[in-house]
Amino acid sequence: MNLFSHKTSFQMSGKMPGQLPGKKSVAHPGKSARRVFATVGVLALTLSMIPANAETKKPKKKKNEDLSANPLANVASRQPDKELYDKAMVALKKGRFDVARLDLQTLLNTYPNSEYQMRAKLAVGDAWFKEGGTAALTQAEAEYEDFITFFPQAPEAAEAKMKVADIYFMQMEKPDRDFVNAQKAEQKYREMIDQFPDSSLVPRAKQRLREVQEVLAEREFLIGQYYASRLNWAGTIARLQTVADSYPLYSKSDELWITIGDAYSGEAHSVQAAKGLPGAVRERLQQVYLDRAAAAYGKVITRYPMAPRVEDARERLIAMNRPVPEPTQEAIAENDAEERSRQAVRFTDKTLGMIKHGPTVVEAAHVGDPTMVSPARTIAPAITKENQQIFAAAFKASQPGAPAESAAAPQPTGANEPPRSDQPQAPLQFETAPGVGSGGNSIGASIVSAPNSAPAAPASKPAEDPNAVLKAVGTTQTVLPAAEAPAEAPAQVNDIKPGSVPQQTAADANAKPTKKKPKLDESDEASSKKKKKKGLSKLNPF
């Protein structure tokens, strides 16, 4: 209760405190007066604590700026186009894609000169993209392509192209299923990297491209393995050679090259088992196919020295008695980086791979440049035609009078290498044995030279050792005597001289020629017309 309330209550009662009826009031300091003095003291103390130089704050003046000059800089603008854009973004964030597209389309149609035109066009594609589904993704692709057409130089054009490729990446199937979406994704990622090389999304696009190429390579590899199981060597080589040329970063490239080498070895075995081939043709064909198999095995060692199956390739070369190449340090470092960047397939990956429709790409490399231009495919008819040319060349080279091949003769791989068919063994050379033709324990014979060769010179008689205790015994003639000529045969005496006709007697002229032939003695010859033995006579061998 303050002083004013006391005063008001006194005035209402008509009396002042301490005033008696009929007498003048006398001021006496009571309890209320002491309260007034205390309140005044507190106010005086509070005012004394305020500094003398304190100034009151000046009111802020409103800046004179145009709020519509920069509507994209988070300025509190009340423009209708921005209101529509913000409303659409809220709806898009909450998953109300149809409401967001309606607001954005209203913005595009009503305000063609708005600064939100480009963002609204891209947001329409995002609304279809986030909604998902085959139909929605198809519509999103069309919206993104329109954005790239209208705004090709905008930084968001690279984002739109990336999302077009992601649409096909999301719809990829497993390697043993339809591969159309994988081919489309590979094409779109390549276009994105070529059209926007300076974009910050290029590293992500390259990684996605490696994963897509891993799926395509796995598909071709599975088909090549199927042909190999059916001993269709032309189809095997065609499929696997395509993978080797197009996708060098494939995680199973070492196994791929080993399968190519096995296919060429299978063709060499087929030639060896073929009937009716001349020996020279068979050897030449085997040599061609084995050389190609060795080259395939060597590719594993020189290009993928850190791969899991490099030792298998080395063992195959040793079994073929072929040289084992040595990889360079650059190849070792490159392949080691590739193998370290891959992730092992875990149990969860295998389990999810059986549930989801998409492929598992954890084994794809994370380093190295993906193939930007695919080379020409190798087809099976081309391999078959090449085999026919190899057969024709082998038959032509085996014909007599054929020109010698200009290729250098193959060199042996080691000192203990067995003789090969394309490098025949050198002819044997006889060496002079000790004691032959000398005065020692000689057998009295000399080596006869081969035909069409110059006659050997007679060996000279070696000097006898004067200190020898035993001297050689036997003839000292080192050259065989000439063979004696056989005696001449006596001259043949003919009763009828040449040029004369023998005289025929009358009896001989009147005699008729006999037609009977002498009877053949069949006692000494076997004949099937003889009477067969019966009874115990069958036991008599005679």
Side-chain angles (χ1 to χ4, degrees):
M1 181 178 297
N2 52 18
L3 178 62
F4 300 100
S5 60
H6 281 284
K7 184 177 181 181
T8 303
S9 59
F10 297 154
Q11 290 177 355
M12 291 177 63
S13 60
K15 295 180 180 181
M16 294 297 292
Q19 184 178 1
L20 297 175
K23 293 183 180 180
K24 294 182 179 179
S25 61
V26 181
H28 295 282
K31 186 177 181 180
S32 59
R34 290 196 298 270
R35 290 181 177 176
V36 172
F37 296 151
T39 304
V40 173
V42 171
L43 291 175
L45 180 62
T46 304
L47 292 176
S48 63
M49 296 175 63
I50 298 176
N53 57 355
E55 297 181 358
T56 59
K57 294 184 178 180
K58 297 180 181 180
K60 293 184 178 179
K61 294 182 179 180
K62 193 173 182 180
K63 294 182 179 179
N64 297 327
E65 59 183 7
D66 187 8
L67 297 180
S68 62
N70 189 8
L72 300 181
N74 297 325
V75 178
S77 175
R78 303 298 297 177
Q79 295 180 356
D81 54 348
K82 185 175 187 306
E83 290 290 330
L84 285 173
Y85 181 78
D86 293 340
K87 181 181 177 183
M89 291 298 100
V90 172
L92 183 63
K93 185 177 181 180
K94 293 183 177 180
R96 301 168 61 186
F97 305 111
D98 52 348
V99 176
R101 287 192 294 267
L102 182 60
D103 293 337
L104 293 171
Q105 199 64 41
T106 303
L107 172 62
L108 293 173
N109 297 334
T110 308
Y111 306 98
N113 297 326
S114 173
E115 306 220 6
Y116 292 93
Q117 190 82 9
M118 182 180 65
R119 292 176 178 267
K121 185 68 175 176
L122 184 62
V124 172
D126 292 340
W128 288 110
F129 183 83
K130 292 182 179 180
E131 183 175 352
T134 304
L137 291 177
T138 303
Q139 191 66 28
E141 179 186 0
E143 292 293 339
Y144 288 137
E145 293 291 349
D146 289 345
F147 181 86
I148 297 172
T149 302
F150 285 106
F151 307 99
Q153 303 298 330
E156 290 81 1
E159 179 184 353
K161 195 68 176 181
M162 185 72 181
K163 289 186 177 180
V164 171
D166 290 340
I167 289 174
Y168 290 104
F169 184 86
M170 293 165 56
Q171 301 180 79
M172 281 196 313
E173 299 288 343
K174 291 182 173 60
D176 57 346
R177 303 296 177 85
D178 189 9
F179 64 101
V180 175
N181 290 327
Q183 287 183 331
K184 286 284 188 178
E186 181 185 24
Q187 177 186 355
K188 296 301 180 180
Y189 283 125
R190 285 175 175 177
E191 291 177 359
M192 186 270 169
I193 297 173
D194 291 337
Q195 295 178 8
F196 308 98
D198 299 331
S199 174
S200 60
L201 299 175
V202 169
R204 179 173 174 268
K206 286 186 176 182
Q207 180 57 34
R208 284 293 179 89
L209 183 57
R210 296 188 196 100
E211 295 174 358
V212 173
Q213 292 180 351
E214 178 77 12
V215 176
L216 294 174
E218 180 70 15
R219 175 183 177 272
E220 297 288 339
F221 179 68
L222 292 177
I223 298 176
Q225 281 189 326
Y226 172 79
Y227 285 140
S229 65
R230 296 297 184 269
L231 303 182
N232 186 350
W233 305 126
T236 302
I237 295 173
R239 290 286 181 170
L240 299 185
Q241 190 66 46
T242 300
V243 179
D245 296 338
S246 303
Y247 311 115
L249 297 178
Y250 178 46
S251 59
K252 300 179 182 177
S253 294
D254 54 339
E255 185 175 356
L256 180 143
W257 279 106
I258 289 178
T259 309
I260 293 177
D262 293 344
Y264 281 119
S265 298
E267 288 191 340
H269 181 72
S270 300
V271 169
Q272 183 180 5
K275 298 180 180 179
L277 287 178
V281 176
R282 180 181 288 105
E283 292 182 359
R284 189 177 298 273
L285 292 175
Q286 285 182 346
Q287 186 62 35
V288 171
Y289 291 129
L290 290 178
D291 288 344
R292 295 191 176 187
Y297 296 144
K299 185 71 174 180
V300 180
I301 301 175
T302 56
R303 174 59 181 87
Y304 306 98
M306 304 301 294
R309 299 200 60 184
V310 66
E311 292 299 328
D312 295 340
R314 195 184 305 273
E315 291 176 359
R316 280 172 168 80
L317 287 175
I318 294 175
M320 294 173 61
N321 206 1
R322 295 301 180 95
V324 179
E326 293 295 334
T328 61
Q329 295 297 328
E330 292 78 6
I332 294 175
E334 179 182 2
N335 187 240
D336 183 61
E338 294 173 359
E339 294 298 326
R340 290 179 178 274
S341 66
R342 307 183 194 276
Q343 298 180 9
V345 180
R346 298 170 296 180
F347 177 76
T348 55
D349 298 328
K350 295 181 180 179
T351 305
L352 293 177
M354 294 186 294
I355 299 175
K356 66 178 183 179
H357 73 279
T360 302
V361 294
V362 296
E363 291 184 307
H366 288 70
V367 296
D369 294 330
T371 305
M372 298 300 299
V373 179
S374 297
R377 292 181 59 88
T378 305
I379 56 178
I383 300 296
T384 303
K385 185 177 180 180
E386 184 181 4
N387 289 337
Q388 294 175 356
Q389 295 175 356
I390 294 174
F391 270 75
F395 273 98
K396 184 177 180 180
S398 63
Q399 297 298 328
E405 296 182 357
S406 59
Q411 300 296 328
T413 60
N416 298 327
E417 181 188 12
R420 291 163 48 177
S421 59
D422 59 343
Q423 187 181 10
Q425 190 175 4
L428 299 177
Q429 298 180 357
F430 294 96
E431 298 180 356
T432 305
V436 177
S438 61
N441 297 332
S442 173
I443 58 175
S446 62
I447 299 176
V448 181
S449 60
N452 301 330
S453 60
S460 58
K461 181 180 179 181
E464 295 183 359
D465 188 4
N467 300 325
V469 178
L470 298 177
K471 295 185 179 181
V473 178
T475 178
T476 59
Q477 185 178 0
T478 59
V479 182
L480 292 177
E484 296 180 358
E488 297 181 359
Q492 185 177 5
V493 179
N494 297 328
D495 296 338
I496 300 176
K497 297 181 179 180
S500 61
V501 180
Q503 297 179 0
Q504 185 177 10
T505 60
D508 295 335
N510 296 331
K512 295 181 179 181
T514 60
K515 298 181 180 180
K516 296 182 180 181
K517 295 182 180 179
K519 187 176 181 180
L520 181 61
D521 186 8
E522 298 179 352
S523 60
D524 298 337
E525 297 183 5
S527 175
S528 61
K529 296 182 181 180
K530 289 183 180 181
K531 190 175 182 180
K532 296 182 179 180
K533 296 179 181 181
K534 297 182 181 180
L536 297 176
S537 300
K538 293 182 179 181
L539 301 177
N540 188 1
F542 305 103

